[in-house]
C-alpha cells in the first residue's frame, strides 16, 4: 500500500496496442498538436501565457490525486475540459500534452510509444469535445456563476467518457486480450464514475478562478467585453 | 470606445499582470502535489483496472498469468528515471517531493513555451486575418 503505487500509470503503457496503431496515433497527435500550436498564438498574451503555464502545472498536480470510484478501482483528473475552459482548447490541448510528455519522460507514467494514443485521447479528444460541450452551454455559462460551474461539470464529465472511448477505438484497431464488448462496458462504466470526480474538480477549479479573476476564464471572457461596452454606453 | 474594453491591449496587460493570483494558483498546485498526493488512492485507475482484467497479478501489480490486455505491456523505457513512479530515487515517502518537482518542471516547460509563442504574435495585438478576434464577437453580441 505504498502511496505511489496507485500513481504508476493513469495512462496507457507501451505494448497495450500494437506498433502500427501506436504509429498511426503518433501521427494523429503530431498533426493535432501542430494545429494547436499554430492556433494557440492568438490566445496567448502577456496575461494568459503565465496563466496557461500555471494551468498545466495545476493539471500535473491534480493528476497525481487518484480518488476511489469502486472497491479496488480509482480514477484521476484528465484535465482537458478544465484547461479548455480556462485557457482555450488549443492552448489547453498543449497544456495536457506537456503534462503527459513530462509524466512519460520523468515519471515513467504512460509509455513513450503510447504518447500518441495518450495525447490523442486525453489532450485532443477530451479537450476539444469537452470544449465543444462548454461552448454549446455558453449561454448558461455566461448567465451566472452557477451556470458556469454546471457547464464545467458537464463538459468535464463528457471529456472523461469520450477520452476513454478513444482508448476503446485504439484497442479495437490494435489491441488484444479481452472481448471488445467487455472493454467498452468496463471503460465506459468506470469512466462514467471517474467523470463525476473530474466534473467536481473542474467545477470547483473553474468556479474558484471565476470568483477571483473572471477575466482569466477563456470560455466566458469573449462575452465579457460586450458587457463592459453595454455598461459604459448605458 | 471599445478599445480599452478589449482587455488585450498590450500596454494594459503588461501593467496589470495578476501576479498575486498567479502566486496563489501556484501555491495551490504545490500543496496538492506536495501534500495531498500522500492521500491519493493506491488502487489501479479505471484504465489499468480494465487492462488488468483477466490476469493474475503479482505483488508489484505485474500480470503473471491469465489473459488480459496488459499482458503485452513492456517495462517502461524510463523506468530507471530518478523520478520513476513518482518517487525520488525509488525511496518510499518521497511522492510529495517528486510531485513538487513535477509541478515546477511543468510550469517551466509549459510557461516557457507559451511565453515564446506569445512573443511571436504580431505587434498589433490582434491579427485582422483571424476572423475570430475579440473585435468581431463583442460587436455581434452588443446588438
Amino acid at each position: 500500500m505504498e502511496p505511489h503505487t496507485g500513481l504508476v500509470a493513469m495512462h496507457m503503457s507501451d505494448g497495450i496496442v500494437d506498433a502500427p496503431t501506436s504509429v498511426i496515433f503518433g501521427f494523429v497527435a503530431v498533426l493535432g498538436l501542430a494545429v494547436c500550436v499554430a492556433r494557440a498564438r492568438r490566445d496567448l498574451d502577456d496575461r494568459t501565457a503565465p496563466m496557461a503555464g500555471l494551468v498545466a502545472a495545476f493539471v500535473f498536480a491534480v493528476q497525481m490525486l487518484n480518488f476511489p470510484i469502486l472497491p479496488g478501482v480509482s480514477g484521476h483528473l484528465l484535465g482537458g475540459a478544465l484547461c479548455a475552459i480556462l485557457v482555450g482548447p488549443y492552448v489547453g490541448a498543449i497544456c495536457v500534452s506537456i503534462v503527459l510528455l513530462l509524466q512519460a519522460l520523468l515519471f515513467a507514467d504512460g509509455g513513450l510509444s503510447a504518447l500518441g494514443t495518450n495525447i490523442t485521447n486525453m489532450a485532443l479528444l477530451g479537450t476539444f469535445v469537452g470544449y465543444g460541450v462548454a461552448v454549446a452551454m455558453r449561454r448558461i455559462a455566461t448567465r451566472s456563476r452557477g451556470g458556469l460551474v454546471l457547464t464545467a461539470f458537464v463538459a468535464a464529465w463528457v471529456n472523461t467518457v469520450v477520452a476513454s472511448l478513444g482508448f476503446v477505438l485504439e484497442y479495437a484497431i490494435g489491441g488484444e486480450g479481452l472481448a471488445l464488448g467487455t472493454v467498452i462496458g468496463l471503460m465506459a462504466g468506470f469512466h462514467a464514475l471517474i467523470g463525476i470526480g473530474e466534473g467536481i474538480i473542474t467545477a470547483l477549479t473553474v468556479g474558484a478562478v471565476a470568483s477571483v479573476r473572471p477575466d482569466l476564464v477563456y470560455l466566458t471572457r469573449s462575452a465579457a467585453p460586450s458587457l463592459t461596452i453595454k455598461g459604459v454606453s448605458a | 470606445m471599445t478599445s480599452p474594453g478589449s482587455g488585450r491591449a498590450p500596454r494594459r496587460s503588461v501593467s496589470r499582470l495578476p501576479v498575486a493570483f498567479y502566486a496563489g494558483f501556484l501555491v495551490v498546485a504545490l500543496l496538492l502535489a506536495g501534500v495531498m498526493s500522500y492521500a491519493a488512492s493506491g488502487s489501479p485507475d479505471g484504465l489499468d483496472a480494465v487492462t488488468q482484467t483477466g490476469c493474475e497479478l503479482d505483488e508489484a501489480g505485474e500480470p503473471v498469468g491469465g489473459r488480459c490486455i496488459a499482458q503485452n505491456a513492456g517495462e517502461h523505457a524510463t523506468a530507471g528515471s530518478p523520478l520513476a513512479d513518482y518517487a525520488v530515487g525509488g525511496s518510499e515517502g518521497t511522492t510529495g517531493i517528486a510531485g513538487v518537482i513535477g509541478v515546477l518542471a511543468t510550469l517551466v516547460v509549459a510557461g516557457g513555451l507559451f511565453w515564446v509563442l506569445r512573443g511571436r504574435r504580431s505587434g498589433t495585438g490582434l491579427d485582422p486575418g483571424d476572423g475570430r478576434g475579440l473585435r468581431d464577437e463583442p460587436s455581434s453580441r452588443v446588438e
Side-chain angles (χ1 to χ4, degrees), chain B residues 7-141:
Chain B
R8 288 203 185 189
R11 58 191 153 77
R12 180 171 177 266
S13 57
V14 168
S15 60
R16 290 198 197 169
L17 283 180
V19 175
F21 174 84
Y22 294 155
F25 203 2
L26 179 60
V27 167
V28 170
L30 289 172
L31 286 175
L32 291 174
V35 180
M36 276 289 286
S37 57
Y38 289 101
S41 166
S43 301
D45 64 45
L47 175 60
D48 285 336
V50 173
T51 61
Q52 292 166 358
T53 297
C55 279
E56 299 157 39
L57 305 177
D58 62 15
E59 284 192 4
E62 300 297 328
V64 289
R67 179 166 164 76
C68 64
I69 299 172
Q71 66 194 359
N72 299 319
E75 173 80 353
H76 199 286
T78 61
S81 158
L83 293 170
D85 299 340
Y86 300 90
V88 179
S91 310
E92 281 191 34
T94 54
T95 300
I97 300 168
V100 166
I101 293 171
V103 166
L104 295 177
T106 308
L107 177 63
V108 168
V109 172
L113 173 69
F114 293 135
W115 192 256
V116 170
L117 285 179
R118 166 221 63 117
R120 284 176 166 192
R121 279 160 48 96
S122 59
T124 56
L126 280 173
D127 183 349
D130 281 354
R132 203 200 59 112
L134 282 172
R135 243 184 293 182
D136 302 334
E137 277 199 69
S139 57
S140 63
R141 282 165 185 272

Side-chain angles (χ1 to χ4, degrees), chain A:
Chain A
M1 272 293 279
E2 303 94 316
H4 59 265
T5 50
L7 303 168
V8 168
M10 139 69 175
H11 317 317
M12 290 169 71
S13 308
D14 297 302
I16 294 288
V17 295
D18 60 22
T21 309
S22 298
V23 171
I24 291 169
F25 285 95
F27 277 115
V28 171
V30 168
L31 285 176
L33 283 177
V35 172
C36 289
V37 168
R39 300 285 296 268
R41 295 179 183 184
R42 73 178 62 158
D43 290 335
L44 291 167
D45 59 25
D46 290 341
R47 277 184 328 145
T48 55
M51 176 66 178
L54 286 162
V55 166
F58 180 81
V59 167
F60 176 91
V62 181
Q63 283 209 357
M64 292 182 71
L65 308 179
N66 285 56
F67 47 83
I69 56 161
L70 289 171
V73 184
S74 71
H76 65 76
L77 181 87
L78 308 185
L82 188 156
C83 289
I85 290 171
L86 290 180
V87 295
Y90 302 105
V91 177
I94 299 170
C95 286
V96 179
S97 299
I98 289 172
V99 170
L100 296 174
L101 181 70
L102 292 178
Q103 286 170 333
L105 290 179
L106 299 180
F107 299 92
D109 186 5
L112 293 181
S113 70
L115 262 176
T117 47
N118 282 323
I119 287 175
T120 301
N121 297 342
M122 288 180 270
L124 298 177
L125 273 177
T127 304
F128 281 94
V129 174
Y131 186 68
V133 171
V135 167
M137 294 178 67
R138 182 143 51 185
R139 275 173 182 246
I140 298 169
T142 52
R143 193 173 299 160
S144 66
R145 177 75 40 76
L148 176 61
V149 166
L150 176 70
T151 299
F153 179 90
V154 175
W157 187 86
V158 174
N159 144 42
T160 308
V161 174
V162 166
S164 81
L165 296 179
F167 167 79
V168 172
L169 172 70
E170 289 140 15
Y171 176 77
I173 296 173
E176 58 173 3
L178 205 60
L180 183 59
T182 308
V183 174
I184 295 172
L186 288 175
M187 282 300 284
F190 287 159
H191 288 85
L193 293 173
I194 295 171
I196 295 173
E198 173 115 17
I200 292 172
I201 295 168
T202 303
L204 286 174
T205 306
V206 171
V209 173
S211 67
V212 186
R213 296 293 308 206
D215 56 315
L216 289 176
V217 179
Y218 181 93
L219 179 71
T220 49
R221 182 171 55 225
S222 57
S226 67
L227 297 175
T228 308
I229 294 161
K230 269 182 194 166
V232 167
S233 60

